[in-house]
Amino acid sequence: EFKPLVFSGVQPTGNLHLGNYLGAIRKFVALQANNDCIYCVVDMHALTAQLVHEDMPGQIRSITAAFLAAGIDPEKHIVFNQSAVPQHAELAWIFNCVARIGWMNRMTQFKDKAGKDREQASLGLYAYPSLMAADILVYRATHVPVGDDQKQHLELTRDIAMKFNMDYMEHIRRAGYGIDITVGDEPVHAYFPMVEPLIDGPAPRVMSLRDGTKKMSKSDASDLSRINLLDDEENISKKIRKAKTDPDGLPSEIAGLAGRPEADNLVGIYAALADKSKADVLAAFGGQQFSVFKPALVDLAVHVLSPITGEMRRLMADPGHIDTVLRDGSARARARAEVTMKQVRDIIGF
Ligand code: ADP
Ligand code: NA
C-alpha cells in the first residue's frame, strides 16, 4: 500500500476567512499528529482568474503566516509555495494530456468562476483542476483535507491517476515503479494512488453570512459576508450581529434546521468552533432566540480566532523569517517532487 501522505493548498488571493480556516487550515493542523504533511501556498493557481496581483509576495507571506499561526510545524512537516517547485507545472502538462475535455467540461467551479462570458475565461482557469491533480500526485499523496467545494476536483484527480495507471500499465511494470492496490474490488498495478478527500466535521462548507445559499468566499464583494482571520473583535461582533437569520428561534432538533440555510450555517459554525456536533449545540440553545445565540457565537469566535490573529500579525512583522521558512520548505518539496518526476519521465519515455 501507499504510505499515508497528506497534501493540501490554499491560494494567495485576498483575505483568509473562517471558511478557509474551518474547511481547510484547522484540519491541516490536526492531521500533523499522525501523518507526514505537505502544505502549499498555491501561487500558480492565483493566476488562473487574474494575471496581475498587487502584492503577490505579501499575499504568499500572509497565507504562510496563517499556516504557522494556526499551529502548522514547518520543521516536522513541509510548508512552501508552488511556483518554487517547477515539477508541479511539468506534471500538470502531462496531466493535461491525460485528462479528457469532457471531464473538464463537467467542473462546476469553472462554470461558476468563468461566469457568463466563458469564451473570455483563461485556459488556466479551465485547466486548474489538472494542476491541482499534479500538486497532489507529484508527491504521490494519499489524503487531501479540503472544503466540500473541492470534492469534484478530487474525483477528477482520481480519474487522472486511474487513466495514467491504466494507459502506462506496461511501462510502469517494466520500469518496476508500480505497486499493487485494490480499487473497489479490482486489483490494479498503480503508479499513482487513489487520493482520499478528508471532508468532514459540522461545517464542511461555511456559507456567506449574508446569503445562506452561497459559500463564504474571498471573492464575495461584501466584506460583511465573511469573517476574515485578520478581523478584530469589534468586526467579528458586527458581522455576526448583522448575519442574516429568519424570524424563528433555534430548534431543539437537527430536523428543525431543514430549509433554514442561515440558521443551519450559524449552528454549524458554532459546532465547528466548539468541536461539537450540531445536535450538541441545539441541545444547549434549542428554544432560544438568535438574540441570545449570536452573542454566544461572537464570544466563541473571538476566543478561537484572536490568538491566531495576534500570532499572524506578529509573524507578518518579520517577512525575512517567513521567507526563510518558505525557502527551506521549497527545497525539501523540490527534492521529493523530483523523485516522482524522474520516474514519470522514465515511464513516459522522456
Ligand atoms: P476561496 O474559495 O475562498 O478562494 P481557496 O480556493 O484558496 O479559497 O480555498 C482554500 C481552502 O479553503 C480549500 O480547501 C477550500 O475547500 C476551503 N474553503 C474555501 N471556502 C470554503 C468555505 N466557504 N467553506 C469551507 N471550506 C472552504
Ligand atoms: Na475554493
Side-chain angles (χ1 to χ4, degrees), residues 80-91:
F80 75 107
N81 63 305
Q82 185 185 27
S83 65
V85 182
Q87 287 83 354
H88 289 237
E90 185 182 0
L91 187 58

Side-chain angles (χ1 to χ4, degrees), residues 264-279:
D264 187 36
N265 188 38
L266 293 182
V267 170
I269 291 172
Y270 191 103
L273 287 170
D275 247 321
K276 291 188 171 141
S277 68
K278 288 201 242 182

Side-chain angles (χ1 to χ4, degrees), residues 15-63:
N15 289 326
L16 281 174
H17 52 75
L18 188 63
N20 298 132
Y21 180 65
L22 296 177
I25 297 173
R26 201 175 68 145
K27 297 179 191 167
F28 299 179
V29 176
L31 285 162
Q32 294 180 109
N34 298 311
N35 299 279
D36 184 10
C37 302
I38 303 180
Y39 296 128
C40 183
V41 182
V42 287
D43 48 8
M44 286 158 66
H45 284 288
L47 298 189
T48 57
Q50 180 191 328
L51 267 182
V52 181
H53 290 257
E54 204 48 57
D55 178 21
M56 182 71 95
Q59 294 281 340
I60 293 169
R61 288 186 194 112
S62 154
I63 306 293

Side-chain angles (χ1 to χ4, degrees), residues 109 113 149-150 215:
Q109 182 175 287
K113 292 203 172 173
D149 57 316
Q150 294 300 319
K215 74 163 190 163

Side-chain angles (χ1 to χ4, degrees), residues 300-320:
L300 176 62
V302 168
H303 174 76
V304 173
L305 298 179
S306 66
I308 299 173
T309 309
E311 182 62 6
M312 258 183 94
R313 290 191 195 285
R314 196 186 66 77
L315 287 162
M316 279 157 68
D318 185 1

Side-chain angles (χ1 to χ4, degrees), residues 1-8 31 34-39 76-78 135-145 193-196 198 333 336-337 340:
E1 279 299 305
F2 283 93
K3 221 172 130 248
L5 174 65
V6 172
F7 177 92
S8 199
L31 285 162
N34 298 311
N35 299 279
D36 184 10
C37 302
I38 303 180
Y39 296 128
K76 289 208 184 91
H77 303 275
I78 295 181
D135 297 335
I136 297 164
L137 293 175
V138 83
Y139 304 100
R140 296 164 100 191
T142 57
H143 293 83
V144 183
M194 295 293 116
V195 296
E196 297 290 342
L198 302 172
R336 290 171 69 154
T340 302

